Amino acid sequence: MPASTRPRPHGRRAGPAALPVARGRPLTTVFYSHPDCRLHDMGPGHPECPQRLDAITDHLLATGLDIALDFRDAPKATLEQIERAHTAGYVTRLVDLLEQGKNADEPRYLDPDTVACPATLDAALRSAGAAIAATDDVLAGRAGTAFCAVRPPGHHATRDEAMGFCFFNNVAIAARHALDVHRLKRVAIVDFDVHHGNGTEDIIAGDERVLMVSFFQHPLYPYSGAVPKGTNMVNVPIAPYTRGPALRETIEQMWGPALDAFKPEMLFISAGFDAHREDDLGQLGLVEADYEWITKLLVGVAARHSQGRIVSCLEGGYNLSALARSVAAHLRVLADVH
Ligand SMILES: [Zn+2]
């Protein structure tokens, strides 16, 4: 097990590599992660596994994309920051349970798929903390864009419930941080995970400072989203076995005008890569080129309205090879690397 998710400096690696060149973007793309995020372990055979982060980091090194990124360790979020998206009662209950779990011999099931181990609390605090620190960096001009390679993911965590591998809703917490602390007036949350981001919808439905646009396979877990919970949602249910070209056309029509009309000052991305056709948790047919296309669409929106500001957080993506390749495609666009 590596001591850190931070890759070694590029120059110390043996063997030749094609070095990508960042161009046109004066600010760097930061890559937040933390070794604690690797230690959260929901048991043998669980798809949301520590090796997901290893696969991403290994692929960045193998492709040379690592030299275009600024790697930073995620701090822990404070409970005050988390309570901008979750109820105080939920945060207290969950933190108490996870604190007790630090000394427990047996895993604790929050739902049949969502399991706490002794390392879960620190991992969850780092995941939310990554999204917050990335937001601070982008808004302070210390970075142009950011990607948070974190786990546990967040978009199924509702205001007061852990579910679907998620404990704290990292993206919603960061969006509220941008609104409440940095005083932005409008932010957009874009969710392209194959599963509906029911937790994010639960938290931000009716908060007119936020526009949430998403697509998701329907029907599929958590079997929500077909009827939006608020007027600030653009939900695009997609039939199983839909492939990239049809999906691109649909989201261009559904997302583009809504985002341009809303004029967000910053974009947050719930970046799940489980709509990939090699991923067994969904039945959509996307490939890396589709993630590249979607990211370009969002970079275009951010360039028009948001001074390029994007914070992207890892959600799903369970085929390790497809996940790593798709994250690289996403990062190449965010970092403007060709
Ligand atoms: Zn998912």
Side-chain angles (χ1 to χ4, degrees), residues 155 193-195 274 316 318:
H155 76 149
D193 191 278
V194 78
H195 302 97
D274 41 9
Y318 304 101

Side-chain angles (χ1 to χ4, degrees), residues 210-265:
V210 187
L211 173 70
M212 180 179 180
V213 305
S214 67
F215 75 78
F216 46 88
Q217 181 181 322
H218 185 75
L220 185 67
Y221 179 89
Y223 304 100
S224 55
V227 179
K229 287 181 77 171
T231 56
N232 58 327
M233 311 277 157
V234 177
N235 294 7
V236 183
I238 301 289
Y241 307 108
T242 301
R243 293 199 164 207
L247 182 107
R248 292 186 193 190
E249 195 177 331
T250 302
I251 64 174
E252 192 166 33
Q253 291 170 1
M254 301 292 288
W255 289 4
L259 288 166
D260 280 331
F262 188 70
K263 296 181 172 56
E265 294 170 288

Side-chain angles (χ1 to χ4, degrees), residues 109 139 185 196 258 270 281 283:
Y109 284 78
L139 283 171
K185 294 185 173 62
H196 175 234
S270 269
L281 267 69
Q283 289 83 41

